[in-house]
Amino acid sequence: MKKRFIILSLLCAAAIRPVFAQDVKQSFEEFRQSLRKDYADFRQSLLDNYDKYLEGIWNEYNAFRGVQRDTVPKPVEAPVAPKDNEPPLVRESDPVSVGDPIPDTIAEPVIQKPVRRPVVTPPEATDNAFDFYGIRVTVPVADVGMCPDRIATNEYATLWRQFKRKGIDSRIVPALRQAASSYKLNDWFTFQLVRTYVASHYASSSVPLRVGLTHFLLCHLGYNVRLGQDKADRPLLLVAFKQMVYAHTYSELNGQRFYVYYDMQAEREGAELLPFYTCELPADVPAGRPVDLLLTEAPLVPYKAHHFRIGVDRLTVSGELNANLMPMIYRYPQMDVECYAYSMLCPDVRRTVVTQLREQLQGLPQLQAVNSLLQFVQYAFEYAKDPEQHGFEKPYFFEELLFYPKCDCEDRSVFYSYLLWEVLGVENQLVFFPGHACVAVRLDESVNGTSYRYEGHDFYISDPTYIGSVTGECMPAYLNTRPVTALSR
Protein backbone atom coordinates (compact mmCIF):
# COMPACT_ATOMS: atom_id res chain seq x y z
CA MET A 1 0.00 0.00 0.00
CA LYS A 2 2.79 2.37 0.97
CA LYS A 3 4.64 1.58 -2.25
CA ARG A 4 1.48 2.26 -4.30
CA PHE A 5 1.03 5.61 -2.51
CA ILE A 6 4.62 6.66 -3.32
CA ILE A 7 4.18 5.78 -7.00
CA LEU A 8 0.89 7.69 -7.11
CA SER A 9 2.52 10.71 -5.48
CA LEU A 10 5.34 10.67 -8.01
CA LEU A 11 2.89 10.44 -10.90
CA CYS A 12 0.92 13.40 -9.53
CA ALA A 13 4.11 15.42 -9.08
CA ALA A 14 5.20 14.59 -12.62
CA ALA A 15 1.79 15.70 -13.92
CA ILE A 16 1.81 18.91 -11.91
CA ARG A 17 5.41 19.92 -12.75
CA PRO A 18 4.83 20.78 -16.48
CA VAL A 19 1.71 22.74 -15.56
CA PHE A 20 3.57 24.56 -12.79
CA ALA A 21 6.53 25.29 -15.08
CA GLN A 22 4.17 26.58 -17.75
CA ASP A 23 2.44 28.81 -15.19
CA VAL A 24 5.80 30.19 -13.98
CA LYS A 25 6.90 30.85 -17.55
CA GLN A 26 3.60 32.52 -18.37
CA SER A 27 3.73 34.60 -15.18
CA PHE A 28 7.26 35.73 -15.96
CA GLU A 29 6.27 36.69 -19.51
CA GLU A 30 3.28 38.62 -18.21
CA PHE A 31 5.54 40.36 -15.68
CA ARG A 32 8.02 41.25 -18.42
CA GLN A 33 5.26 42.60 -20.64
CA SER A 34 3.94 44.71 -17.77
CA LEU A 35 7.42 46.16 -17.21
CA ARG A 36 7.65 47.02 -20.89
CA LYS A 37 4.24 48.67 -20.80
CA ASP A 38 5.17 50.66 -17.69
CA TYR A 39 8.37 51.82 -19.38
CA ALA A 40 6.50 52.72 -22.57
CA ASP A 41 3.92 54.69 -20.59
CA PHE A 42 6.67 56.44 -18.61
CA ARG A 43 8.54 57.18 -21.83
CA GLN A 44 5.36 58.50 -23.46
CA SER A 45 4.94 60.94 -20.60
CA LEU A 46 8.31 62.44 -21.54
CA LEU A 47 7.25 62.85 -25.17
CA ASP A 48 3.90 64.32 -24.17
CA ASN A 49 5.61 66.96 -22.04
CA TYR A 50 8.76 67.53 -24.08
CA ASP A 51 7.58 70.92 -25.29
CA LYS A 52 7.48 72.12 -21.68
CA TYR A 53 11.13 71.12 -21.17
CA LEU A 54 12.11 72.87 -24.42
CA GLU A 55 10.31 75.94 -23.16
CA GLY A 56 12.22 75.85 -19.88
CA ILE A 57 15.78 76.80 -18.93
CA TRP A 58 18.58 75.95 -21.35
CA ASN A 59 21.97 75.52 -19.68
CA GLU A 60 25.34 76.18 -21.27
CA TYR A 61 27.82 73.36 -21.95
CA ASN A 62 31.22 73.11 -23.59
CA ALA A 63 31.98 70.96 -26.63
CA PHE A 64 35.26 69.04 -26.79
CA ARG A 65 37.40 67.87 -29.66
CA GLY A 66 37.04 64.12 -30.30
CA VAL A 67 39.31 61.79 -28.34
CA GLN A 68 42.08 60.03 -30.27
CA ARG A 69 42.04 56.30 -29.52
CA ASP A 70 45.82 55.87 -29.82
CA THR A 71 48.15 58.85 -30.08
CA VAL A 72 51.31 56.78 -30.74
CA PRO A 73 52.08 56.69 -34.49
CA LYS A 74 52.08 53.33 -36.26
CA PRO A 75 55.15 52.30 -38.28
CA VAL A 76 55.29 53.48 -41.89
CA GLU A 77 56.14 49.95 -43.04
CA ALA A 78 55.30 46.60 -41.50
CA PRO A 79 58.30 45.36 -39.44
CA VAL A 80 59.98 42.22 -40.77
CA ALA A 81 61.26 39.41 -38.59
CA PRO A 82 64.92 38.50 -39.36
CA LYS A 83 64.49 35.13 -41.03
CA ASP A 84 63.10 33.03 -43.89
CA ASN A 85 62.13 34.11 -47.37
CA GLU A 86 58.63 35.36 -48.05
CA PRO A 87 56.14 32.86 -49.46
CA PRO A 88 54.66 33.80 -52.85
CA LEU A 89 51.78 36.26 -52.63
CA VAL A 90 48.45 35.48 -54.25
CA ARG A 91 46.06 38.40 -54.48
CA GLU A 92 43.58 38.80 -57.28
CA SER A 93 40.74 41.18 -56.63
CA ASP A 94 38.53 43.65 -58.37
CA PRO A 95 40.26 47.04 -58.48
CA VAL A 96 39.27 49.46 -55.75
CA SER A 97 39.91 53.19 -55.66
CA VAL A 98 40.03 54.27 -52.03
CA GLY A 99 38.65 57.68 -52.96
CA ASP A 100 35.60 55.96 -54.44
CA PRO A 101 34.70 52.83 -52.45
CA ILE A 102 32.66 51.40 -55.34
CA PRO A 103 34.66 50.30 -58.40
CA ASP A 104 33.22 51.50 -61.72
CA THR A 105 33.92 48.20 -63.46
CA ILE A 106 33.53 44.68 -62.18
CA ALA A 107 35.96 41.92 -63.13
CA GLU A 108 34.89 38.47 -64.28
CA PRO A 109 33.96 36.02 -61.51
CA VAL A 110 36.91 34.18 -59.95
CA ILE A 111 36.42 30.43 -59.51
CA GLN A 112 34.08 30.76 -56.55
CA LYS A 113 30.36 30.28 -56.89
CA PRO A 114 28.43 33.39 -55.82
CA VAL A 115 27.27 33.54 -52.23
CA ARG A 116 23.59 34.05 -51.48
CA ARG A 117 22.62 37.57 -52.42
CA PRO A 118 19.99 39.58 -50.59
CA VAL A 119 17.10 40.44 -52.88
CA VAL A 120 15.97 44.03 -52.67
CA THR A 121 12.88 45.07 -54.60
CA PRO A 122 12.89 48.86 -54.80
CA PRO A 123 9.51 50.52 -54.56
CA GLU A 124 8.15 52.29 -57.59
CA ALA A 125 9.47 55.80 -57.96
CA THR A 126 7.19 58.27 -56.25
CA ASP A 127 7.49 61.80 -54.96
CA ASN A 128 7.80 60.28 -51.48
CA ALA A 129 10.83 58.13 -52.35
CA PHE A 130 14.39 59.19 -51.52
CA ASP A 131 17.77 57.56 -52.08
CA PHE A 132 19.54 55.90 -49.17
CA TYR A 133 22.74 54.18 -50.34
CA GLY A 134 21.07 52.94 -53.50
CA ILE A 135 17.76 52.01 -51.84
CA ARG A 136 14.69 53.93 -52.96
CA VAL A 137 12.97 54.36 -49.61
CA THR A 138 9.35 55.49 -49.57
CA VAL A 139 8.24 57.48 -46.53
CA PRO A 140 5.29 59.92 -46.58
CA VAL A 141 6.04 63.62 -46.88
CA ALA A 142 3.99 65.69 -44.48
CA ASP A 143 3.34 69.37 -44.10
CA VAL A 144 5.57 70.26 -41.16
CA GLY A 145 4.86 73.97 -41.24
CA MET A 146 7.27 76.91 -41.41
CA CYS A 147 10.12 78.16 -39.25
CA PRO A 148 12.47 81.19 -39.48
CA ASP A 149 16.17 80.73 -40.27
CA ARG A 150 17.05 81.76 -36.71
CA ILE A 151 15.02 81.17 -33.60
CA ALA A 152 15.47 81.51 -29.85
CA THR A 153 15.95 78.34 -27.82
CA ASN A 154 12.47 78.44 -26.25
CA GLU A 155 10.89 78.60 -29.73
CA TYR A 156 11.83 74.95 -30.28
CA ALA A 157 8.90 74.21 -27.98
CA THR A 158 6.64 75.85 -30.57
CA LEU A 159 8.19 73.63 -33.26
CA TRP A 160 7.58 70.49 -31.18
CA ARG A 161 3.90 71.41 -30.71
CA GLN A 162 3.68 72.22 -34.40
CA PHE A 163 4.90 68.71 -35.32
CA LYS A 164 2.48 67.14 -32.84
CA ARG A 165 -0.43 69.14 -34.23
CA LYS A 166 0.32 67.96 -37.75
CA GLY A 167 0.48 64.31 -36.64
CA ILE A 168 4.14 63.72 -37.56
CA ASP A 169 4.48 61.15 -34.77
CA SER A 170 1.63 59.04 -36.15
CA ARG A 171 2.22 59.57 -39.89
CA ILE A 172 6.01 59.59 -40.38
CA VAL A 173 7.48 57.66 -37.44
CA PRO A 174 5.77 54.29 -38.21
CA ALA A 175 6.91 54.52 -41.86
CA LEU A 176 10.53 55.18 -40.82
CA ARG A 177 10.40 52.33 -38.31
CA GLN A 178 9.03 50.00 -40.98
CA ALA A 179 11.73 51.04 -43.47
CA ALA A 180 14.48 50.43 -40.91
CA SER A 181 13.08 46.98 -40.17
CA SER A 182 12.51 46.04 -43.83
CA TYR A 183 16.05 46.94 -44.86
CA LYS A 184 17.63 45.49 -41.69
CA LEU A 185 19.16 48.76 -40.54
CA ASN A 186 20.90 48.85 -37.18
CA ASP A 187 20.65 51.89 -34.90
CA TRP A 188 23.39 53.85 -36.68
CA PHE A 189 21.86 53.35 -40.13
CA THR A 190 18.41 54.17 -38.73
CA PHE A 191 19.85 57.42 -37.37
CA GLN A 192 21.32 58.16 -40.80
CA LEU A 193 18.06 57.16 -42.51
CA VAL A 194 16.14 59.76 -40.50
CA ARG A 195 18.72 62.47 -41.25
CA THR A 196 18.70 61.60 -44.96
CA TYR A 197 14.89 61.61 -45.08
CA VAL A 198 14.77 65.11 -43.58
CA ALA A 199 17.61 66.41 -45.78
CA SER A 200 15.98 64.99 -48.93
CA HIS A 201 12.37 66.06 -48.42
CA TYR A 202 12.82 69.30 -46.49
CA ALA A 203 15.93 70.71 -48.18
CA SER A 204 14.27 74.09 -48.74
CA SER A 205 13.16 74.41 -45.11
CA SER A 206 15.18 76.34 -42.56
CA VAL A 207 18.00 74.64 -40.63
CA PRO A 208 16.19 74.98 -37.27
CA LEU A 209 13.14 73.23 -38.73
CA ARG A 210 15.22 70.38 -40.20
CA VAL A 211 17.18 69.79 -37.01
CA GLY A 212 14.05 70.16 -34.85
CA LEU A 213 12.20 67.66 -37.05
CA THR A 214 15.11 65.19 -36.95
CA HIS A 215 15.15 65.46 -33.17
CA PHE A 216 11.37 64.94 -32.98
CA LEU A 217 11.52 61.82 -35.18
CA LEU A 218 14.49 60.26 -33.36
CA CYS A 219 12.90 60.83 -29.96
CA HIS A 220 9.70 59.14 -31.11
CA LEU A 221 11.77 56.24 -32.47
CA GLY A 222 13.01 55.75 -28.92
CA TYR A 223 16.54 57.19 -29.04
CA ASN A 224 18.26 59.33 -26.44
CA VAL A 225 18.86 62.40 -28.57
CA ARG A 226 18.85 65.96 -27.24
CA LEU A 227 18.37 69.24 -29.06
CA GLY A 228 20.93 72.02 -28.70
CA GLN A 229 21.96 75.36 -30.17
CA ASP A 230 25.47 76.77 -30.15
CA LYS A 231 26.48 80.37 -29.48
CA ALA A 232 26.32 81.13 -33.19
CA ASP A 233 22.62 80.13 -33.09
CA ARG A 234 23.29 76.94 -35.07
CA PRO A 235 20.99 74.09 -34.02
CA LEU A 236 22.56 70.72 -33.31
CA LEU A 237 21.78 67.21 -32.14
CA LEU A 238 23.35 65.60 -29.08
CA VAL A 239 23.39 61.83 -29.59
CA ALA A 240 24.08 59.20 -26.93
CA PHE A 241 25.95 56.09 -28.14
CA LYS A 242 26.22 52.73 -26.42
CA GLN A 243 29.88 52.46 -27.40
CA MET A 244 32.75 54.89 -26.96
CA VAL A 245 33.19 56.94 -30.15
CA TYR A 246 36.53 58.46 -31.09
CA ALA A 247 37.55 61.42 -33.23
CA HIS A 248 34.13 63.11 -33.01
CA THR A 249 33.10 66.26 -31.13
CA TYR A 250 31.33 65.50 -27.88
CA SER A 251 30.09 66.95 -24.62
CA GLU A 252 29.03 65.61 -21.23
CA LEU A 253 25.60 66.20 -19.71
CA ASN A 254 25.24 65.13 -16.10
CA GLY A 255 28.01 62.57 -16.46
CA GLN A 256 26.78 61.07 -19.74
CA ARG A 257 28.64 61.57 -23.01
CA PHE A 258 26.75 62.92 -26.03
CA TYR A 259 28.15 63.42 -29.53
CA VAL A 260 27.48 66.56 -31.54
CA TYR A 261 25.85 66.38 -34.98
CA TYR A 262 24.84 69.41 -37.01
CA ASP A 263 22.41 69.56 -39.92
CA MET A 264 23.55 67.29 -42.79
CA GLN A 265 23.64 70.23 -45.19
CA ALA A 266 25.65 72.35 -42.78
CA GLU A 267 27.90 69.77 -41.08
CA ARG A 268 30.60 71.46 -39.02
CA GLU A 269 32.66 68.57 -37.66
CA GLY A 270 36.26 69.76 -37.40
CA ALA A 271 35.29 73.44 -37.31
CA GLU A 272 35.67 75.79 -34.37
CA LEU A 273 34.24 74.39 -31.16
CA LEU A 274 31.59 76.65 -29.66
CA PRO A 275 29.75 76.35 -26.35
CA PHE A 276 26.11 75.39 -26.77
CA TYR A 277 22.84 75.37 -24.85
CA THR A 278 20.38 72.55 -24.25
CA CYS A 279 17.34 72.09 -22.03
CA GLU A 280 17.30 69.97 -18.91
CA LEU A 281 15.22 66.79 -18.77
CA PRO A 282 13.96 65.24 -15.51
CA ALA A 283 16.47 62.75 -14.15
CA ASP A 284 13.76 60.22 -13.25
CA VAL A 285 12.20 60.04 -16.74
CA PRO A 286 13.64 57.57 -19.34
CA ALA A 287 15.28 59.73 -21.99
CA GLY A 288 15.52 56.87 -24.50
CA ARG A 289 18.06 54.26 -25.52
CA PRO A 290 21.56 55.03 -26.81
CA VAL A 291 22.46 54.33 -30.43
CA ASP A 292 24.04 50.85 -30.59
CA LEU A 293 26.82 50.74 -33.20
CA LEU A 294 27.39 46.98 -33.28
CA LEU A 295 26.46 45.26 -36.54
CA THR A 296 24.75 41.87 -36.50
CA GLU A 297 23.75 41.61 -40.17
CA ALA A 298 24.16 43.39 -43.48
CA PRO A 299 21.61 46.03 -44.53
CA LEU A 300 19.55 44.92 -47.53
CA VAL A 301 20.99 47.18 -50.19
CA PRO A 302 21.10 46.36 -53.94
CA TYR A 303 23.80 43.81 -54.78
CA LYS A 304 26.96 44.71 -56.68
CA ALA A 305 29.54 41.92 -56.75
CA HIS A 306 33.14 42.44 -55.74
CA HIS A 307 35.30 39.36 -56.35
CA PHE A 308 38.37 38.53 -54.32
CA ARG A 309 41.07 35.87 -54.32
CA ILE A 310 43.85 36.21 -51.78
CA GLY A 311 46.40 33.99 -50.14
CA VAL A 312 49.95 32.74 -49.90
CA ASP A 313 51.45 29.66 -51.49
CA ARG A 314 48.76 26.94 -51.38
CA LEU A 315 46.61 28.64 -48.72
CA THR A 316 44.10 30.81 -50.58
CA VAL A 317 40.50 31.94 -50.34
CA SER A 318 38.18 33.28 -53.02
CA GLY A 319 34.63 34.55 -53.18
CA GLU A 320 32.57 37.68 -53.54
CA LEU A 321 30.85 40.26 -51.39
CA ASN A 322 28.41 43.10 -51.88
CA ALA A 323 30.43 46.18 -52.85
CA ASN A 324 27.43 48.41 -52.17
CA LEU A 325 27.93 47.83 -48.44
CA MET A 326 31.33 49.51 -48.49
CA PRO A 327 30.15 53.15 -48.82
CA MET A 328 27.72 52.57 -45.95
CA ILE A 329 30.50 51.66 -43.51
CA TYR A 330 33.24 53.83 -45.01
CA ARG A 331 32.68 56.68 -42.53
CA TYR A 332 31.30 54.52 -39.75
CA PRO A 333 31.85 56.07 -36.29
CA GLN A 334 35.24 55.03 -34.93
CA MET A 335 34.86 52.57 -32.04
CA ASP A 336 37.20 50.48 -29.91
CA VAL A 337 38.89 47.80 -32.01
CA GLU A 338 37.12 44.96 -30.22
CA CYS A 339 33.76 46.38 -31.35
CA TYR A 340 34.75 45.67 -34.95
CA ALA A 341 35.63 42.15 -33.89
CA TYR A 342 32.27 41.71 -32.13
CA SER A 343 30.33 42.94 -35.20
CA MET A 344 29.07 40.67 -37.96
CA LEU A 345 28.37 42.20 -41.37
CA CYS A 346 28.21 39.34 -43.90
CA PRO A 347 27.80 35.87 -42.35
CA ASP A 348 27.71 34.18 -45.78
CA VAL A 349 31.02 35.72 -46.84
CA ARG A 350 32.62 34.70 -43.56
CA ARG A 351 31.35 31.14 -43.89
CA THR A 352 32.89 30.95 -47.36
CA VAL A 353 36.29 32.09 -46.08
CA VAL A 354 36.19 29.88 -42.97
CA THR A 355 35.12 26.76 -44.90
CA GLN A 356 37.90 27.11 -47.46
CA LEU A 357 40.61 27.69 -44.87
CA ARG A 358 39.34 24.88 -42.63
CA GLU A 359 39.55 22.41 -45.54
CA GLN A 360 43.10 23.49 -46.41
CA LEU A 361 44.37 23.34 -42.81
CA GLN A 362 42.61 20.11 -41.90
CA GLY A 363 44.85 17.47 -40.36
CA LEU A 364 47.74 19.78 -39.45
CA PRO A 365 49.10 19.81 -35.88
CA GLN A 366 47.76 22.77 -33.92
CA LEU A 367 50.95 24.86 -33.86
CA GLN A 368 51.63 24.28 -37.55
CA ALA A 369 48.04 25.23 -38.43
CA VAL A 370 48.25 28.39 -36.30
CA ASN A 371 51.52 29.46 -37.95
CA SER A 372 50.17 28.68 -41.42
CA LEU A 373 47.14 30.88 -40.73
CA LEU A 374 49.45 33.54 -39.26
CA GLN A 375 51.58 33.53 -42.41
CA PHE A 376 48.46 33.71 -44.55
CA VAL A 377 47.40 36.98 -42.89
CA GLN A 378 50.96 38.38 -42.84
CA TYR A 379 51.53 37.99 -46.56
CA ALA A 380 48.05 38.09 -48.10
CA PHE A 381 47.61 41.82 -47.45
CA GLU A 382 49.75 44.85 -48.18
CA TYR A 383 50.43 47.13 -45.23
CA ALA A 384 49.46 50.80 -45.07
CA LYS A 385 48.53 53.24 -42.33
CA ASP A 386 44.97 54.53 -42.49
CA PRO A 387 45.89 58.22 -43.03
CA GLU A 388 47.95 57.25 -46.08
CA GLN A 389 45.23 55.10 -47.59
CA HIS A 390 42.06 56.89 -46.48
CA GLY A 391 43.15 60.26 -45.12
CA PHE A 392 41.75 59.47 -41.64
CA GLU A 393 41.85 56.71 -39.02
CA LYS A 394 39.62 53.88 -40.22
CA PRO A 395 39.52 50.54 -38.42
CA TYR A 396 38.10 47.79 -40.64
CA PHE A 397 35.31 45.35 -40.18
CA PHE A 398 36.31 41.80 -41.21
CA GLU A 399 34.74 42.11 -44.66
CA GLU A 400 36.62 45.29 -45.54
CA LEU A 401 39.94 43.42 -45.65
CA LEU A 402 38.49 41.46 -48.56
CA PHE A 403 37.68 44.71 -50.37
CA TYR A 404 40.48 47.25 -49.84
CA PRO A 405 44.00 46.51 -51.10
CA LYS A 406 45.84 47.50 -47.89
CA CYS A 407 45.35 47.36 -44.13
CA ASP A 408 47.14 48.05 -40.85
CA CYS A 409 47.85 46.11 -37.65
CA GLU A 410 44.41 46.57 -36.05
CA ASP A 411 42.61 45.32 -39.15
CA ARG A 412 44.85 42.27 -39.48
CA SER A 413 44.41 41.46 -35.79
CA VAL A 414 40.59 41.53 -35.99
CA PHE A 415 40.71 39.34 -39.13
CA TYR A 416 43.25 36.88 -37.69
CA SER A 417 41.55 36.61 -34.30
CA TYR A 418 38.24 35.67 -35.94
CA LEU A 419 39.89 33.02 -38.16
CA LEU A 420 41.84 31.48 -35.29
CA TRP A 421 38.63 30.73 -33.42
CA GLU A 422 36.29 29.94 -36.32
CA VAL A 423 38.74 27.92 -38.44
CA LEU A 424 40.91 26.24 -35.79
CA GLY A 425 38.96 26.65 -32.56
CA VAL A 426 42.01 28.24 -30.93
CA GLU A 427 41.31 30.52 -27.98
CA ASN A 428 42.90 33.93 -28.44
CA GLN A 429 42.88 37.56 -27.31
CA LEU A 430 43.38 40.89 -29.01
CA VAL A 431 46.53 42.51 -27.62
CA PHE A 432 47.32 46.23 -27.64
CA PHE A 433 50.65 47.99 -27.26
CA PRO A 434 51.15 51.74 -27.72
CA GLY A 435 50.78 52.29 -31.47
CA HIS A 436 50.32 48.60 -32.25
CA ALA A 437 47.80 45.74 -32.10
CA CYS A 438 48.34 42.00 -32.42
CA VAL A 439 46.96 38.70 -31.13
CA ALA A 440 47.92 36.20 -28.42
CA VAL A 441 46.94 32.51 -28.61
CA ARG A 442 46.45 29.77 -26.06
CA LEU A 443 48.07 26.55 -27.31
CA ASP A 444 47.81 22.93 -26.24
CA GLU A 445 51.63 22.77 -26.01
CA SER A 446 54.35 25.05 -24.70
CA VAL A 447 56.56 26.88 -27.21
CA ASN A 448 59.62 29.05 -26.87
CA GLY A 449 58.76 32.70 -27.09
CA THR A 450 56.98 35.67 -25.58
CA SER A 451 53.87 34.91 -23.56
CA TYR A 452 51.81 36.10 -20.60
CA ARG A 453 49.57 34.34 -18.09
CA TYR A 454 45.82 34.80 -18.11
CA GLU A 455 43.50 32.84 -15.81
CA GLY A 456 46.15 30.17 -15.33
CA HIS A 457 46.99 29.70 -19.02
CA ASP A 458 49.88 30.85 -21.21
CA PHE A 459 48.99 33.08 -24.16
CA TYR A 460 51.69 33.43 -26.83
CA ILE A 461 52.11 36.53 -28.96
CA SER A 462 51.12 35.80 -32.55
CA ASP A 463 51.56 38.95 -34.63
CA PRO A 464 49.99 39.18 -38.12
CA THR A 465 51.85 42.44 -38.84
CA TYR A 466 55.34 41.24 -37.82
CA ILE A 467 56.15 39.83 -41.25
CA GLY A 468 57.85 36.44 -41.23
CA SER A 469 57.42 35.90 -37.48
CA VAL A 470 55.96 32.77 -35.95
CA THR A 471 53.83 32.35 -32.85
CA GLY A 472 55.86 33.32 -29.80
CA GLU A 473 57.82 36.07 -31.58
CA CYS A 474 57.18 39.60 -30.36
CA MET A 475 58.42 42.80 -31.97
CA PRO A 476 61.58 43.85 -30.07
CA ALA A 477 60.09 47.29 -29.39
CA TYR A 478 57.39 45.72 -27.17
CA LEU A 479 59.33 43.03 -25.30
CA ASN A 480 59.38 45.10 -22.12
CA THR A 481 55.94 46.70 -22.53
CA ARG A 482 52.97 45.45 -20.57
CA PRO A 483 50.18 44.57 -23.03
CA VAL A 484 46.51 45.46 -22.73
CA THR A 485 44.20 42.65 -23.73
CA ALA A 486 40.61 42.55 -24.93
CA LEU A 487 38.11 40.21 -26.59
CA SER A 488 38.86 36.71 -25.37
CA ARG A 489 37.53 34.19 -27.87
Side-chain angles (χ1 to χ4, degrees):
M1 181 71 180
K2 183 177 180 182
K3 184 177 179 182
R4 191 184 306 173
F5 175 76
I6 293 172
I7 294 174
L8 183 62
S9 299
L10 291 173
L11 290 173
C12 290
I16 292 171
R17 184 175 298 173
V19 176
F20 177 73
Q22 184 177 353
D23 288 344
V24 169
K25 184 177 180 181
Q26 184 175 352
S27 297
F28 177 75
E29 186 60 31
E30 290 173 354
F31 174 70
R32 188 167 63 171
Q33 292 294 336
S34 68
L35 286 180
R36 288 178 177 172
K37 184 179 184 303
D38 290 344
Y39 176 85
D41 292 344
F42 206 21
R43 167 78 180 159
Q44 188 61 45
S45 70
L46 172 72
L47 299 176
D48 291 341
N49 293 284
Y50 213 112
D51 58 325
K52 298 180 179 64
Y53 307 132
L54 291 170
E55 212 165 29
I57 298 173
W58 286 48
N59 294 323
E60 181 178 338
Y61 294 88
N62 289 320
F64 304 99
R65 191 74 64 193
V67 176
Q68 299 303 310
R69 189 176 47 78
D70 192 345
T71 58
V72 178
K74 297 183 178 71
V76 176
E77 297 180 352
V80 178
K83 59 167 72 174
D84 305 331
N85 295 327
E86 299 179 4
L89 172 67
V90 179
R91 185 174 183 93
E92 299 172 12
S93 181
D94 294 349
V96 175
S97 169
V98 173
D100 177 9
I102 296 298
D104 293 330
T105 58
I106 299 297
E108 291 298 316
V110 181
I111 302 174
Q112 184 69 21
K113 291 183 179 181
V115 295
R116 179 178 60 83
R117 305 178 180 184
V119 178
V120 178
T121 305
E124 295 181 5
T126 68
D127 291 340
N128 293 344
F130 64 98
D131 181 78
F132 185 69
Y133 292 105
I135 308 171
R136 293 298 293 171
V137 182
T138 300
V139 174
V141 179
D143 173 18
V144 294
M146 304 290 288
C147 177
D149 290 333
R150 286 197 173 203
I151 62 175
T153 55
N154 60 0
E155 292 181 88
Y156 285 102
T158 304
L159 263 184
W160 184 279
R161 287 191 285 265
Q162 182 172 301
F163 299 146
K164 289 285 286 185
R165 231 178 12 254
K166 292 180 176 293
I168 302 303
D169 51 337
S170 59
R171 296 180 59 195
I172 309 301
V173 172
L176 286 168
R177 185 177 284 115
Q178 178 60 44
S181 174
S182 298
Y183 296 109
K184 299 185 182 299
L185 305 182
N186 75 343
D187 285 349
W188 168 253
F189 292 129
T190 300
F191 170 69
Q192 291 292 72
L193 176 77
V194 174
R195 298 180 79 205
T196 304
Y197 164 76
V198 173
S200 299
H201 286 318
Y202 303 97
S204 60
S205 298
S206 67
V207 174
L209 186 142
R210 288 200 301 267
V211 176
L213 177 59
T214 304
H215 171 252
F216 183 90
L217 294 171
L218 289 168
C219 283
H220 281 81
L221 285 169
Y223 294 110
N224 187 359
V225 177
R226 312 291 180 89
L227 187 63
Q229 186 161 283
D230 69 18
K231 283 201 167 183
D233 291 337
R234 298 183 183 94
L236 54 90
L237 296 173
L238 298 160
V239 184
F241 286 102
K242 188 174 182 179
Q243 292 76 20
M244 172 73 176
V245 171
Y246 297 91
H248 194 95
T249 303
Y250 72 96
S251 186
E252 289 193 358
L253 279 60
N254 300 321
Q256 184 174 8
R257 185 164 292 195
F258 288 81
Y259 295 86
V260 177
Y261 285 86
Y262 284 86
D263 178 65
M264 287 190 82
Q265 296 182 26
E267 196 69 67
R268 297 184 65 254
E269 177 63 23
E272 178 189 3
L273 298 181
L274 295 175
F276 64 89
Y277 303 92
T278 189
C279 69
E280 290 296 314
L281 298 182
D284 60 342
V285 176
R289 68 182 184 276
V291 172
D292 188 350
L293 292 172
L294 289 186
L295 286 164
T296 58
E297 59 186 340
L300 290 181
V301 297
Y303 197 92
K304 185 175 185 180
H306 172 82
H307 303 278
F308 60 85
R309 183 171 182 261
I310 57 175
V312 291
D313 202 5
R314 289 185 295 274
L315 195 59
T316 61
V317 294
S318 59
E320 70 177 52
L321 54 80
N322 187 357
N324 282 339
L325 293 170
M326 296 301 112
M328 297 189 75
I329 57 177
Y330 189 65
R331 284 283 187 175
Y332 208 81
Q334 189 186 148
M335 307 176 285
D336 285 309
V337 174
E338 54 265 33
C339 294
Y340 297 88
Y342 283 127
S343 290
M344 173 74 73
L345 185 61
C346 302
D348 288 345
V349 174
R350 296 195 185 196
R351 272 194 296 272
T352 297
V353 171
V354 167
T355 299
Q356 293 179 36
L357 289 173
R358 189 179 288 154
E359 290 173 354
Q360 295 172 75
L361 294 170
Q362 188 175 9
L364 294 180
Q366 186 190 56
L367 181 58
Q368 184 180 348
V370 167
N371 282 328
S372 296
L373 195 58
L374 175 63
Q375 222 177 36
F376 166 76
V377 181
Q378 286 174 350
Y379 291 104
F381 306 103
E382 295 181 55
Y383 175 85
K385 297 195 297 182
D386 290 333
E388 294 173 354
Q389 185 175 196
H390 299 287
F392 60 97
E393 188 66 25
K394 179 179 168 44
Y396 285 169
F397 294 99
F398 179 98
E399 291 77 7
E400 290 179 286
L401 276 85
L402 305 172
F403 185 80
Y404 295 109
K406 299 178 182 180
C407 57
D408 66 9
C409 59
E410 298 158 347
D411 311 323
R412 292 163 181 250
S413 297
V414 168
F415 191 81
Y416 180 46
S417 172
Y418 180 84
L419 294 179
L420 279 167
W421 180 251
E422 294 296 330
V423 176
L424 302 177
V426 171
E427 184 180 348
N428 66 88
Q429 296 181 333
L430 291 175
V431 176
F432 300 97
F433 296 104
H436 184 57
C438 63
V439 176
V441 298
R442 176 188 167 189
L443 300 174
D444 294 337
E445 58 182 297
S446 297
V447 300
N448 293 324
T450 304
S451 66
Y452 58 85
R453 298 282 290 178
Y454 178 78
E455 294 186 348
H457 301 286
D458 290 323
F459 281 76
Y460 294 89
I461 296 296
S462 193
D463 195 335
T465 310
Y466 192 22
I467 308 302
S469 68
V470 295
T471 298
E473 283 191 273
C474 179
M475 290 187 192
Y478 305 114
L479 283 173
N480 297 315
T481 304
R482 185 181 180 88
V484 175
T485 62
L487 186 72
S488 296
R489 290 190 190 273

